[in-house]
Amino acid sequence: MRVLLVGGGGREHALALGLAGDPAVETLVAAPGNPGIAAVAQLREVTPTDPAAVAALAVEVAADLVVIGPEAPLVAGVADAVRAKGIAVFGPSAEAARLEGSKTFAKDVMTAAGVPTARAYTCEDAAAVARALDEFGAPYVVKDDGLAAGKGVVVTDDRAVAERHAAECGRVVIEEYLSGPEVSLFVVTDGEAAVPLLPAQDFKRVGDGDTGPNTGGMGAYTPLPWAPPNLVDDVMRDVVHPTLAELRRRGTPFAGLLYVGLAITPSGPRVIEFNARFGDPETQVVLALLETPLGGLLHAAATGTLGAHPPLRWRDGAAVTVVVAADGYPAGPRTGDVITGADRAGIIHAGTRRDADGTLRSAGGRVLCGTATGPDLAAARDAAYALVRDVDLAGSHHRTDIAAAAVDGRITIPG
Ligand code: AMP
């Protein structure tokens, strides 16, 4: 199988490692890729959000499967353009990707499908914003309606901060605050059949103890020792299948990766958000434990044959990833700094570039992450931090408490 992988972040590096490790994948091309991906794939230049350009590249490299990593190409219709060339693609149509591209659309689908989620209003002016904030009270949850790379959400007790964010965004979704630990559940689907991966937890806030602003994600671990035993079955029954059925009913079936972000509240799991692609950095840990060949799984989802795919096999133990972020991230990351200690197994590249002389430099906010497995969560955590300690990048920062509460048994479901 010849595979074209679209994207160039940490998620795509993890996907590239999974695809390259599948014996059925003979050739792996990544566009644009990154210096980490370059070790396992041929790199090609492309603008990932240009549907015609990606489709043309898929034809040129004679791809049997195109895997689209990030959300922006999906929302731009890249999957549709590739499918129109008769090439199998892992990633939903632009219509179905609105599940991520518009918070209002997602809420509408959830309401129609009876999916448990926070009550919410879409607001377009200050009066509507004030009414919604009054109704729900603090803590206030204000979300930019459009794509914001995971950074369009403000959760705050400060009314003025909530109002300012709403004014800056224009159209926002304001919703009820959900309390309880968060879970990311990835579901591979061909629109009808759906296969859950291991649930993971990520760390959205920049600082230890969940302090500071939201980021794209500062670390992750899997599995979740504290999760209720029926969690995945319940979410498949109450969230995933009803949502997929509603999208089929609308004539826009969702095929690809359905990311379900949940809060485990006292009244059960509630959807915080849907995404239309693998999450970053949870992908790094989930795929580290997946033993089933990745290319075959994604190809089955892309060709409507997932129902005939054998059950997934998982490695024992746990996986942890710790993100190393650039100085100034998330507000204003500094780029161009030299990185050493990063060319080793377990380092996943996210925002890096390589000079002609081989020097590795930072090129984004989340620069790289140390990903490790171990017989248990504590061992995987220690191994991931050992990787991160060996990386040198001026001004960089990382959280020191990734997976700590789970290791120490401090995560409880309120109620
Ligand atoms: P989102 O981009 O929708 O995932 O939101 C980013 C983060 O904001 C989530 O991971 C949560 O930590 C937080 N968040 C979003 N919606 C809510 C909510 N309704 N209640 C509590 N926290 C929320």
Side-chain angles (χ1 to χ4, degrees):
M1 176 160 53
R2 296 175 61 83
V3 180
L4 170 63
L5 171 64
V6 178
R11 163 188 42 225
E12 287 76 30
H13 190 181
L15 286 165
L17 292 172
L19 291 166
D22 181 341
V25 176
E26 291 146 15
T27 305
L28 180 60
V29 180
N34 68 35
I37 296 173
V40 293
Q42 303 166 25
L43 300 194
R44 295 291 301 263
E45 278 302 318
V46 82
T47 302
T49 49
D50 181 340
V54 174
L57 181 60
V59 170
E60 187 195 324
V61 304
D64 301 300
L65 172 67
V66 176
V67 176
I68 301 174
E71 58 274 21
L74 295 167
V75 171
V78 169
D80 306 87
V82 173
R83 231 174 251 125
K85 299 284 184 196
I87 298 173
V89 55
F90 184 80
S93 66
E95 269 298 310
R98 290 176 68 211
L99 218 43
E100 171 162 6
S102 164
K103 303 263 184 207
T104 302
F105 177 78
K107 280 288 176 193
D108 189 48
V109 168
M110 282 190 260
T111 304
V115 166
T117 184
R119 288 186 302 123
Y121 295 106
T122 299
C123 306
E124 308 207 21
D125 59 54
V129 166
R131 271 197 308 276
L133 295 177
D134 284 343
E135 178 171 335
F136 294 133
Y140 303 107
V141 181
V142 181
K143 304 186 172 188
D144 194 330
D145 183 51
L147 274 189
K151 284 159 257 175
V153 178
V154 163
V155 180
T156 176
D157 284 321
D158 187 331
R159 172 95 180 206
V161 170
E163 285 175 350
R164 200 176 326 125
H165 185 60
E168 279 164 12
C169 294
R171 190 173 144 110
V172 291
V173 171
I174 293 181
E175 64 180 40
E176 162 191 23
Y177 177 80
L178 299 172
S179 68
E182 289 181 32
V183 171
S184 303
L185 182 67
F186 297 168
V187 179
V188 173
T189 176
D190 61 9
E192 189 131 16
V195 176
L197 306 186
L198 287 181
Q201 189 173 51
D202 77 345
F203 293 77
K204 284 269 197 274
R205 301 280 186 144
V206 73
D208 281 358
D210 295 328
T211 54
N214 267 325
T215 68
M218 295 299 290
Y221 67 93
T222 188
L224 310 177
W226 50 268
N230 296 332
L231 175 68
V232 173
D233 289 347
D234 290 354
V235 172
M236 293 302 287
R237 184 194 60 217
D238 298 338
V239 175
V240 173
H241 286 296
T243 298
L244 295 178
E246 172 62 18
L247 287 165
R248 287 197 301 273
R249 193 189 65 74
R250 294 177 180 218
T252 55
F254 184 101
L257 196 288
L258 180 63
Y259 168 131
V260 188
L262 299 150
I264 313 303
T265 76
S267 4
R270 296 280 179 277
V271 176
I272 288 183
E273 64 163 345
F274 285 131
N275 290 320
R277 38 76 195 176
F278 282 96
D280 192 344
E282 301 98 306
T283 304
Q284 286 82 318
V285 289
V286 171
L287 295 187
L289 293 186
L290 180 68
E291 204 168 73
T292 298
L294 183 64
L297 176 65
L298 302 187
H299 188 262
T303 53
T305 58
L306 193 61
H309 192 275
L312 300 187
R313 286 179 286 110
W314 295 96
R315 298 189 178 92
D316 291 336
V320 174
T321 192
V322 178
V323 170
V324 175
D327 188 26
Y329 178 78
R334 186 178 79 201
T335 59
D337 289 305
V338 173
I339 308 164
T340 57
D343 287 306
R344 68 183 75 208
I347 297 292
I348 305 264
H349 291 233
T352 68
R353 64 178 168 82
R354 206 179 286 284
D355 293 347
D357 68 1
T359 306
L360 194 66
R361 290 184 189 274
S362 57
R366 292 188 297 169
V367 178
L368 51 81
C369 45
T371 306
T373 58
D376 58 28
L377 215 42
R381 186 254 324 250
D382 293 349
Y385 275 108
L387 282 166
V388 162
R389 262 196 305 279
D390 285 340
V391 171
D392 199 34
L393 166 62
S396 68
H397 57 97
H398 62 266
R399 280 184 65 158
T400 66
D401 63 348
I402 302 302
V407 167
D408 300 343
R410 280 186 281 116
I411 301 188
T412 51
I413 295 158

